[in-house]
Amino acid sequence: MRRFATTRRQLLGIIGVAQLFLGASYLFPSPMPVGSRDRAFEWIVWLEPHHLGALTVISGAFACIAVAAGVAHLRGADRLERLAYGAVMAPYSALALVFLLSWVIGGNPTGWISTISYSAYTALAYAAAGVADPPDPPARTDPTMLPGGGDADA
């Protein structure tokens, strides 16, 4: 397998695209009636799955916009990336809390499994936010531009 240097921006792009799809799945009713997702939210009368789905889509879109701003070398792109990392952790943390509390309260016997998953996503996003970008490769020097025209005998 070929190795390559991974940047924070690439990791943010991966997280952002994943959040777009995850959030979209929460915008629609669960395909399983009375599934784990429905049981996780039934104890909260003011919060529906599609509310967190919309938050997840918005944070994923924000992450993708931040990546695009960085690729385009727009001023303030680094600040956008830092804000986007915070934004992508919010829905994962909220989902982990919802599933944890649904398990603790007793309405969702498998809520602890989703809690572990969403907590791991939060931790991975946090870790990715702290990744140091690799240094830029040294500029290649054209041997014909060197004194002597790159001729070894000169």
Side-chain angles (χ1 to χ4, degrees):
M1 179 186 286
R2 183 173 172 228
R3 293 183 183 201
F4 60 94
T6 303
T7 64
R8 287 181 39 167
R9 186 173 297 138
Q10 291 168 333
L11 295 171
L12 182 60
I14 292 167
I15 293 168
V17 169
Q19 278 204 335
L20 286 171
F21 287 106
L22 175 70
S25 76
Y26 271 82
L27 293 177
F28 304 102
S30 176
M32 296 173 37
V34 194
S36 178
R37 181 191 307 173
D38 293 331
R39 288 193 308 268
F41 284 87
E42 69 186 8
W43 65 277
I44 311 173
V45 295
W46 51 269
L47 185 64
E48 297 287 331
H50 65 270
H51 296 147
L52 282 180
L55 177 65
T56 307
V57 167
I58 291 167
S59 65
F62 180 54
C64 291
I65 290 168
V67 169
V71 169
H73 302 291
L74 297 180
R75 193 166 61 108
D78 289 338
R79 175 189 238 164
L80 275 179
E81 283 183 22
R82 289 191 301 271
L83 290 171
Y85 266 111
V88 296
M89 286 188 267
Y92 288 145
S93 300
L95 286 165
L97 184 63
V98 165
F99 279 94
L100 175 66
L101 292 177
S102 72
W103 175 65
V104 169
I105 289 170
N108 189 1
T110 61
W112 65 275
I113 299 167
S114 295
T115 299
I116 291 170
S117 297
Y118 289 122
S119 296
Y121 294 147
T122 304
L124 287 170
Y126 181 79
V131 168
D133 284 340
D136 291 333
R140 291 187 175 206
T141 306
D142 185 0
T144 60
M145 300 301 286
L146 294 174
D151 187 15
D153 297 330

